[in-house]
Amino acid sequence: MSETPAPDPLRAVLLKLVPEGNVVVLTTVAGETLRLNTSISARKQIVVARATERLLRRSVVAGTLASAKGGGRADLFGQIVGLINDDAALDELAAAFLAAYPDALPVGVHPLDALSIEEVVLAILPLLVRPMLRALDVVGPLGVGILGTQTPEA
């Protein structure tokens, strides 16, 4: 009799970042609802990934991620405020959104004028997580070391 495999905690966390039905629902600052498909072309995924990589390389973002990982909540708050005040980081965030969803907003409307920062992030996260989930499907929970996460000790 085969045993049911233990749930994969990484997969469980990633699944929470991908909306059901591959549609993310955003609310604009004007109260309008946007429904965006999180399944985009490979070319758009590449542009989004590159903009996100540039964003992650920014020192203020790296500091925010380090604070979150280390559990330093007070420092994390300061890092988030620093991120919000980093125009170049916000430009990368907007570039990723526009690459993924060029027709989501009326022509000439900037994402950071129409949406809050958290809504822009909410729209982009599934685009980065979906490929990771597919990779996990291929390598399984014991192969996550290939994806940059330590494999469980045997």
Side-chain angles (χ1 to χ4, degrees):
M1 207 157 173
S2 67
E3 292 182 31
T4 304
D8 181 358
L10 176 60
R11 183 174 182 71
V13 169
L14 293 177
L15 280 171
K16 290 181 181 184
L17 301 174
V18 177
E20 266 190 59
N22 290 324
V23 174
V24 65
V25 179
L26 307 178
T27 303
T28 68
V29 294
E32 298 169 357
T33 300
L34 298 177
R35 297 178 55 79
L36 304 176
N37 187 345
T38 61
S39 179
I40 62 173
S41 72
R43 290 186 191 277
K44 287 182 180 179
Q45 284 178 314
I46 292 164
V47 175
V48 170
R50 287 177 181 160
T52 304
E53 182 180 21
R54 288 189 302 269
L55 175 66
L56 293 175
R57 285 185 184 167
R58 301 205 48 82
S59 62
V60 68
V61 177
T64 302
L65 295 174
S67 293
K69 188 175 182 179
R73 289 193 166 97
D75 191 40
L76 177 60
F77 179 76
Q79 294 289 335
I80 290 171
V81 171
L83 172 61
I84 292 170
N85 286 309
D86 186 334
D87 290 338
L90 295 176
D91 287 343
E92 292 297 349
L93 190 62
F97 181 90
L98 289 170
Y101 308 110
D103 302 321
L105 298 169
V107 174
V109 176
H110 194 278
L112 298 180
D113 292 330
L115 299 164
S116 64
I117 293 170
E118 61 271 18
E119 293 293 291
V120 175
V121 171
L122 181 66
I124 294 169
L125 266 178
L127 306 176
L128 303 170
V129 171
R130 289 184 65 211
M132 287 189 271
L133 284 168
R134 282 299 271 172
L136 282 174
D137 288 344
V138 173
V139 300
L142 295 179
V144 294
I146 296 169
L147 302 176
T149 305
Q150 289 184 333
T151 55
E153 297 297 323

